[in-house]
Structures are given as C-alpha cells and as structure tokens.
C-alpha cells in the first residue's frame, strides 16, 4: 500500500460561501475508515465565515478522534483568510501536496 492509499483526499475549489454550505459539509464528512485526511484547497480563492466554520468543525472533530489532517493552500488570497481566521494554528498547512502527504504518512496514516 502506498501512502496515498491510506490517506483520504478532499478537494474543494473556487469560492466557498454560504450557498455551498451543504456541499462543503458533505465533502468534509469523515468515514469510520479515515486514518488521515488531506484537504486540498489549492484552487480555493475565498471562503466566508460559514465555510471557515465548517473547516474548523472538521478540524475539531478530527483532532478529537486523533485523525491527522493537513491542508494544502496555494492561493495567496485564501492563505491570508486562513491566517486571519486562526485556521493556520488549527491545521497543519502546506503549499505543496507532496509535503502534506509526507507529513500525513509520518503521522501514522500507514
């Protein structure tokens, strides 16, 4: 099994706002088999408070269940939002997908 087989990837893109709340919540729903989760937000340019709340809820739930989570954030404008919202401290953030996968593999995902 390679590292990506044991790491679930969630991809979101575009502007994450209240109109997409159900989509975001569904995407961030974990399954019992999740051992580590990569949340790929490489193509996200904006997130409102509703989307940030869903991300934070996901982080708290994952942390409580000892599931390592890594975020991939590449766009400068979304990186600022993540920083200002305090999510940079809540999640392990990367601007490189391979580095995020390596972190999750070392965190016991395999």
């Amino acid at each position: 099994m390679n590292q990506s087989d044991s790491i679930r990837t969630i991809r979101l893109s575009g502007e994450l706002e209240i109109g997409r709340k159900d989509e975001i919540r569904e995407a961030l729903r974990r399954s019992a088999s999740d051992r580590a989760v990569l949340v790929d937000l490489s193509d996200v340019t904006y997130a409102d408070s509703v989307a940030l709340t869903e991300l934070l809820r996901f982080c708290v739930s994952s942390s409580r269940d000892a599931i390592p989570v890594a975020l991939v954030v590449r766009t400068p404008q979304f990186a600022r939002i993540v920083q200002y919202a305090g999510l940079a401290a809540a999640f392990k953030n990367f601007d490189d997908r391979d580095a995020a996968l390596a972190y999750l593999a070392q965190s016991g995902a395999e």
Side-chain angles (χ1 to χ4, degrees):
M1 174 186 302
N2 68 43
Q3 72 182 24
S4 61
D5 290 337
S6 61
I7 299 170
R8 177 172 170 231
T9 298
I10 298 169
R11 284 191 179 89
L12 295 168
S13 63
E15 294 189 0
L16 304 180
E17 42 78 34
I18 194 165
R20 296 179 64 191
K21 180 180 179 178
D22 292 340
E23 172 193 350
I24 295 164
R25 184 172 280 177
E26 185 61 32
L28 294 174
R29 189 176 315 255
R30 285 198 348 260
S31 74
S33 63
D34 290 346
R35 297 178 52 156
V37 180
L38 174 71
V39 182
D40 189 342
L41 304 170
S42 299
D43 297 321
V44 171
T45 55
Y46 171 80
D48 68 9
S49 61
V50 171
L52 294 173
T53 298
E54 291 302 321
L55 282 168
L56 193 52
R57 183 186 327 257
F58 179 77
C59 174
V60 168
S61 170
S62 298
S63 177
R64 181 185 62 232
D65 296 338
I67 306 292
V69 174
L71 293 184
V72 178
V73 177
R74 288 196 180 133
T75 61
Q77 57 270 55
F78 186 59
R80 279 193 303 276
I81 292 169
V82 167
Q83 183 69 34
Y84 295 151
L87 292 176
F91 289 101
K92 188 70 173 162
N93 294 284
F94 297 88
D95 60 7
D96 178 79
R97 180 177 161 76
D98 290 337
L101 286 170
Y103 162 77
L104 290 171
Q106 290 175 359
S107 296
E110 294 196 88

